[in-house]
Amino acid sequence: MRLRDTGLTAAELKAKVKKYHIETYERMDFVCDYAKGNYLYDQNGDAYMDFYGGVAVNSVGSCNDAVVKAVQEQTAQVMHTFNYPYTVPQAVLVEKICKASGMDKIIFQNSGAEANEAMIKMARKYGNDNFGPNKVEIITFYSSFHGRTGFAMTATGQPDSAIHKGFGQLPTGFKYAEYNNLDSVKAMIDDNTIAVMLEPVQGEGGVIPATDEFMKGLRALCDEKGIFMLMDEIQAGWNRCGTFMCYQSYGVQPDAVAMAKAMGGGMPIAACAATEKLASAFNPGAHGSTYAGNPVACAASVAVFDYMEEHKLGEYFMAELAKMPNVKLVRGRGLFVGVILEDGINAVEVKRTCVKDHLLVTAIGSNIIRMVPPLTISKEEADECVRRLSRCISVVAGK
Ligand SMILES: Cc1ncc(COP(=O)(O)O)c(C=O)c1O
């Protein structure tokens, strides 16, 4: 559907959204009328460089030809069945992901929060069934983000934020440790602990990668204590950080992983993959979802999987960004990048200025610009992004 099909102007369309949609997001002030590859196009056909990638979703670019073809072909065959009959795209996809991630079993979901919800429920059920009802506690980390459903929002280690506040009593069974601090995890593990859950790179927390030492130490600690290591790779997975799953770049294998964003090329699909042992907690009736494993979403995901190739631009991009004035630090992993601005430079203002310069990025907290662009960006596009971002930061900084 395009704007021209509605008979509305862009201003009228925006007014309609403001009137009828429950707005919980700060909108970028343009109508995305269509998108292709590494660009979004507005109501006038003007191009915007996509360096937020639909928040890490558009890893193979918008409306990737292979994904579009797979979706079109699948919608003409079978669009929905529920998980009663077997379907071909799901059968092809389960094997691909399990083999690539080193996991034994997988269960599909529709969103990142749901994939985390499934992972948390699996660990709690395993603890309950094997050790009794108290052994369901999960240690997560301050500044983490795991989603906005009941367990996932409580797992999110931001107790004073709008994510937690105002919803009354949240589920019990979560404790928050300090990220990249093994001693703080050690101090929290007790007889009721069943798992530790973390992002390999804290995205919403400010693009903070786990250190090698922390990741490996945590795996060893979980083994020593006989508890599970649960990885939230909703944002970091599917080649964003240079390997299929980010944990592979650390040489660490968790007991379960939640994945979502990039896996559908824009179609909503998510999953939780686990070892045979942990997955055994999910017996019939323990978990389910109407749309999960939908054939169209699975067909899109197979196309994304087959299309993806390793990218090598992350290091170059980060090095170029680090040369910009007004920047304190650039950190990240692969093409999961955070630019920490000098004190007093407001990231939201920079983001808004970038939109006017037709560069799309997101802002975190008061002074961090996050970029999770399509993995298909070229060196020239990375260079152009640095030029525009640098210009916009200077405008906001006034120097
Ligand atoms: C690490 C992480 N976990 C979970 C989620 C929640 O995913 P969703 O918004 O698809 O529910 C996100 C979303 O940004 C995320 O970055």
Side-chain angles (χ1 to χ4, degrees):
M1 220 184 197
R2 296 277 303 274
L3 188 62
R4 63 183 176 221
D5 304 320
T6 65
L8 298 170
T9 64
E12 286 165 345
L13 182 130
K14 287 190 257 179
K16 216 180 261 301
V17 172
K18 286 201 177 103
K19 179 165 166 36
Y20 292 111
H21 188 251
I22 300 169
E23 290 285 84
T24 58
Y25 309 94
E26 182 187 308
R27 299 272 184 182
M28 291 171 175
D29 193 25
F30 70 100
V31 176
C32 177
D33 204 21
Y34 62 100
K36 188 71 192 163
N38 305 330
Y39 297 88
L40 272 53
Y41 295 85
D42 72 9
Q43 58 276 5
N44 305 313
D46 290 337
Y48 294 68
M49 296 186 81
D50 181 9
F51 272 70
Y52 81 110
V55 190
V57 167
N58 297 327
S59 284
V60 294
S62 281
C63 302
N64 177 288
D65 288 342
V67 178
V68 170
K69 183 167 179 283
V71 169
Q72 284 175 340
E73 286 179 3
Q74 189 56 44
T75 49
Q77 302 302 326
V78 53
M79 286 175 71
H80 180 75
T81 58
F82 199 87
N83 282 299
Y84 287 154
Y86 295 95
T87 59
V88 176
Q90 196 183 99
V92 174
L93 188 59
V94 284
E95 185 176 20
K96 280 180 189 287
I97 300 178
C98 283
K99 284 190 170 159
S101 63
M103 292 293 172
D104 299 322
K105 298 270 194 182
I106 186 163
I107 185 163
F108 290 110
Q109 300 286 275
N110 310 291
S111 68
E114 281 182 55
N116 278 333
E117 204 78 11
M119 186 161 70
I120 291 164
K121 282 176 69 180
M122 206 183 265
R124 288 173 66 109
K125 184 96 179 14
Y126 188 95
N128 177 82
D129 293 357
N130 290 280
F131 306 104
N134 292 330
K135 187 132 173 124
V136 293
E137 286 189 6
I138 298 179
I139 297 171
T140 67
F141 294 91
Y142 283 112
S143 299
S144 58
F145 182 72
H146 298 297
R148 293 173 180 278
T149 53
F151 280 142
M153 68 192 263
T154 314
T156 294
Q158 302 185 45
D160 297 323
S161 73
I163 298 167
H164 278 210
K165 290 284 176 205
F167 297 99
Q169 181 67 55
L170 299 181
T172 55
F174 294 92
K175 290 196 276 199
Y176 313 123
E178 297 289 335
Y179 197 64
N180 277 334
N181 179 343
L182 203 56
D183 287 336
S184 101
V185 186
K186 274 184 197 158
M188 264 180 197
I189 296 177
D190 62 26
D191 290 346
N192 295 334
T193 309
I194 188 63
V196 176
M197 173 172 170
L198 74 157
E199 297 156 89
V201 179
Q202 286 194 330
E204 305 297 315
V207 193
I208 306 169
T211 62
D212 276 304
E213 193 190 4
F214 180 63
M215 193 66 103
K216 290 199 170 80
L218 208 51
R219 177 68 275 183
L221 183 63
C222 289
D223 288 341
E224 182 195 321
K225 302 285 183 188
I227 60 176
F228 295 118
M229 184 183 200
L230 311 179
M231 203 69 81
D232 175 349
E233 295 222 8
I234 304 302
Q235 197 160 164
W238 281 61
N239 290 318
R240 166 107 353 241
C241 300
T243 48
F244 179 59
M245 298 314 293
C246 182
Y247 55 73
Q248 292 162 327
S249 69
Y250 287 90
V252 159
Q253 182 71 20
D255 298 285
V257 59
M259 59 189 81
K261 293 179 183 282
M263 67 185 289
M267 292 294 286
I269 180 170
C272 169
T275 59
E276 181 106 44
K277 175 177 161 181
L278 180 49
S280 70
F282 270 0
N283 43 15
H287 197 63
S289 165
T290 297
Y291 291 116
N294 167 278
V296 180
C298 285
S301 189
V302 169
V304 172
F305 187 99
D306 291 345
Y307 185 90
M308 279 184 153
E309 36 185 86
E310 275 187 23
H311 64 87
K312 300 261 180 274
L313 218 56
E315 264 177 45
Y316 171 79
F317 185 42
M318 280 200 265
E320 291 301 302
L321 288 166
K323 291 178 193 161
M324 296 187 304
N326 302 309
V327 164
K328 216 189 247 180
L329 179 73
V330 175
R331 67 186 169 214
R333 207 164 173 97
L335 277 172
F336 194 161
V337 178
V339 176
I340 314 345
L341 304 170
E342 296 279 13
D343 293 343
I345 307 176
N346 185 290
V348 175
E349 283 306 320
V350 170
K351 178 192 79 171
R352 290 178 188 147
T353 309
C354 284
V355 176
K356 289 187 194 137
D357 213 356
H358 291 198
L359 169 67
L360 307 179
V361 299
T362 57
I364 305 173
S366 59
N367 70 332
I368 302 174
I369 294 293
R370 174 185 46 181
M371 287 178 282
V372 274
L375 307 180
T376 48
I377 57 162
S378 64
K379 182 170 171 295
E380 290 67 35
E381 287 166 329
D383 290 340
E384 180 57 21
C385 166
V386 175
R387 272 193 291 275
R388 289 190 201 182
L389 182 58
S390 183
R391 196 158 64 213
C392 293
I393 296 171
S394 296
V395 167
V396 174
K399 56 186 170 166

